[in-house]
């Protein structure tokens, strides 16, 4: 079986890659088990949500999928409050950069739903199988097939089977933190504001979501020390809920009033990862290529930036070059080197800065937040950086 381009993975990055390539006239197929997303429930939201930057929103709109998502499930973020571990605080508002919003909070399930629909409507081939090996420029699948292509795109997640099978270099460093996510009922309206606290026990963020029949709702993302997170996740459901609500009552400082758990608590390990992005006939994108600490909420945005650059590079190659020509793929790698490194240094640096309990650093980081709060130009630069991919 032979194709021009095969995208491994049917998550947001994989599906958007396939769709964007097809829209640029490339012959593409998706290799992944058939995906389906349950119908949306007005009062229940997908456990995983993303902060979509203006750049990512424009890209999804260009693909024709942004307007296909129900407006009622999209929450604009018009302001951010960032609290230090002492008295430092930074307030960012969309109007400070003449923007209508800083980001949108969108459920993973809603983005996946419209991408699946678009891929089907575009007639993109879907190979219902999975990669188990790679040899002599061809993928071997679980079903026993051998698939040849000019280019294989690894958009198959942090544990990328294609990356492993092809022997691409990969480095992983544990933060010894666990990401905890859950949706909460809030006593007070969030007013489109995302709030974040840097604390001794990690980084807590409350992201605005649409109201439910029970009132205001937010999504919690808490990067908690793994030992504490394991103890919490091991508790029976009722005890776990009571313990988490008690922790939130202290950590959120009453900012949104009483917070009540309304969904199941999920946890996942946090790592800093990077991989060899290209090899002859292979390109990695999204979590398969790099993974960051979620404190800045830029993981998916960085992945969609990969997709944009890869599609632009491959579709714009010279007519005499194949999609998997290493010269073409090196252009993609160079295009992504600076933005990926910049975000890696920023997130890892912030994590290290706030993880230290040294008294001089505690004073310095909170003094720095006070300085940023009084510097409109710096705020505009911060907003501009977060708005890009």
């Amino acid at each position: 079986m032979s194709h021009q381009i095969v995208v491994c993975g049917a998550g947001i990055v994989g599906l958007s890659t396939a769709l964007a390539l097809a829209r640029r006239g490339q012959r593409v197929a998706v290799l992944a088990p058939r995906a389906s997303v349950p119908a949306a429930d007005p009062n229940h939201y997908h456990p995983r949500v993303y902060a979509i930057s203006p750049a990512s929103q424009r890209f999804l709109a260009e693909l024709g999928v942004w307007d296909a998502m129900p407006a009622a499930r999209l929450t604009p973020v018009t302001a951010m409050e960032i609290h230090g571990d002492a008295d430092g605080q930074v307030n960012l508002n969309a109007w400070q950069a003449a923007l209508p919003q800083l980001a949108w909070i969108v459920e993973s399930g809603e983005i996946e739903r419209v991408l699946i629909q678009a891929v089907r409507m575009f007639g993109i081939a879907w190979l219902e199988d999975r990669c188990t090996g790679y040899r002599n420029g061809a993928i071997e699948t679980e079903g026993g097939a051998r698939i040849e292509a000019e280019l294989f795109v690894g958009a198959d997640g942090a544990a990328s089977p294609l990356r492993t099978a092809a022997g691409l270099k990969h480095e992983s460093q544990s933060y010894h933190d666990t990401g905890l996510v859950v949706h909460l009922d809030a006593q007070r309206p969030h007013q489109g504001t995302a709030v974040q606290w840097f604390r001794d026990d990690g980084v807590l963020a409350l992201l605005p979501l649409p109201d439910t029949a029970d009132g205001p709702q937010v999504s919690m993302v808490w990067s908690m020390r793994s030992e504490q997170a394991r103890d919490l996740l091991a508790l029976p459901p009722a005890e776990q809920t009571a313990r988490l609500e008690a922790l939130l009552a202290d950590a959120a400082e009453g900012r949104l009033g009483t917070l009540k758990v309304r969904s199941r608590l999920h946890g996942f390990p946090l790592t800093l990862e990077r991989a060899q992005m290209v090899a002859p006939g292979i390109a990695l994108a999204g979590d398969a290529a790099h993974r960051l600490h979620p404190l800045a909420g830029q993981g998916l945005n960085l992945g969609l930036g990969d997709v944009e650059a890869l599609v632009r590079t491959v579709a714009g190659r010279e007519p005499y070059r194949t999609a998997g020509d290493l010269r073409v793929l090196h252009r993609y790698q160079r295009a992504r080197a600076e933005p990926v490194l910049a975000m890696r240094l920023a997130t890892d640096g912030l994590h290290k800065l706030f993880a230290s309990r040294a008294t001089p650093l505690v004073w310095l980081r909170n003094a720095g937040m006070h300085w940023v709060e009084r510097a409109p130009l710096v705020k505009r630069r911060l907003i501009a950086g977060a708005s890009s991919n």
Side-chain angles (χ1 to χ4, degrees):
M1 189 183 302
S2 181
H3 299 272
Q4 183 186 36
I5 302 173
V6 173
V7 178
C8 301
I12 295 171
V13 171
L15 293 173
S16 60
T17 301
L19 183 60
L21 284 168
R23 290 175 66 90
R24 293 290 296 269
Q26 306 301 299
R27 290 183 293 106
V28 61
V30 173
L31 174 65
R34 180 66 69 173
S36 62
V37 180
D41 183 321
N43 284 304
H44 291 86
Y45 286 73
H46 195 281
R48 189 165 193 175
V49 300
Y50 292 108
I52 300 296
S53 71
S56 292
Q57 184 272 335
R58 286 192 295 271
F59 176 57
L60 292 173
E62 289 169 4
L63 293 183
V65 298
W66 183 262
D67 290 336
M69 289 187 283
R73 311 283 295 200
L74 310 177
T75 310
V77 179
T78 55
M80 285 188 66
E81 289 179 18
I82 305 169
H83 298 262
D85 52 352
D87 59 349
Q89 183 173 335
V90 174
N91 295 282
L92 302 176
N93 289 275
W95 60 263
Q96 292 169 326
L99 293 172
Q101 56 276 312
L102 299 173
W104 289 261
I105 305 300
V106 188
E107 300 158 84
S108 173
E110 287 305 305
I111 306 176
E112 290 169 3
R113 186 196 320 279
V114 295
L115 280 170
I116 291 169
Q117 292 172 349
V119 163
R120 288 173 179 165
M121 289 177 62
F122 229 82
I124 296 171
W126 194 308
L127 313 176
E128 296 185 51
D129 213 332
R130 65 178 82 235
C131 170
T132 56
Y134 181 84
R135 185 170 54 181
N136 299 327
I139 277 180
E140 297 168 347
T141 74
E142 188 177 67
R146 185 175 186 274
I147 301 173
E148 297 179 349
E150 293 179 12
L151 173 64
F152 293 101
V153 178
D156 44 357
S160 173
L162 175 61
R163 184 188 67 212
T164 301
L168 273 62
K169 295 178 182 176
H170 173 245
E171 300 173 3
S172 179
Q173 172 188 327
S174 174
Y175 277 115
H176 304 292
D177 288 349
T178 296
L180 298 177
V181 295
V182 71
H183 295 337
L184 308 166
D185 288 324
Q187 185 180 15
R188 299 173 187 165
H190 52 65
Q191 298 180 319
T193 299
V195 192
Q196 189 171 43
W197 291 265
F198 287 86
R199 297 170 41 84
D200 291 350
D201 52 2
V203 185
L204 169 65
L206 298 180
L207 308 176
L209 284 177
D211 291 353
T212 69
D214 297 319
Q217 177 189 201
V218 293
S219 179
M220 180 201 87
V221 183
W222 197 333
S223 303
M224 186 180 287
R225 303 293 177 251
S226 289
E227 184 178 356
Q228 182 182 3
R230 279 195 299 269
D231 292 342
L232 182 61
L233 289 166
L235 292 174
E239 292 181 37
Q240 183 186 91
T241 294
R243 177 59 179 156
L244 179 56
E245 289 177 354
L247 290 171
L248 284 165
D250 173 63
E253 302 170 344
R255 173 62 179 77
L256 294 175
T258 303
L259 296 169
K260 296 290 185 182
V261 173
R262 68 172 288 115
S263 67
R264 180 186 169 192
L265 181 67
H266 296 268
F268 52 94
L270 301 183
T271 54
L272 179 65
E273 303 182 33
R274 61 179 173 184
Q276 177 185 344
M277 287 188 74
V278 301
I282 298 177
L284 302 182
D287 283 354
H290 41 70
R291 201 174 186 196
L292 308 175
H293 197 287
L295 61 86
Q298 293 297 311
L300 179 59
N301 294 318
L302 209 59
L304 291 176
D306 293 345
V307 175
E308 277 195 278
L310 178 61
V311 171
R312 183 173 59 248
T313 303
V314 170
R317 70 188 185 278
E318 298 89 345
Y320 57 85
R321 296 195 188 278
T322 66
D325 190 311
L326 193 56
R327 293 177 182 84
V328 174
L329 300 182
H330 275 153
R331 296 170 193 165
Y332 159 60
Q333 181 175 268
R334 288 193 295 271
R336 295 306 292 157
E338 184 177 347
V340 170
L341 178 61
M343 189 57 67
R344 176 187 174 94
L345 292 175
T347 55
D348 191 49
L350 275 173
H351 178 269
K352 285 182 169 63
L353 177 63
F354 280 91
S356 174
R357 306 313 309 155
T359 301
L361 276 180
V362 173
W363 177 86
L364 181 62
R365 62 195 177 218
N366 285 279
M369 295 181 78
H370 284 299
W371 176 78
V372 171
E373 179 63 14
R374 297 191 297 269
L377 179 60
V378 175
K379 288 186 178 183
R380 285 196 294 273
R381 293 290 295 274
L382 287 172
I383 293 170
S387 298
S388 66
N389 285 348

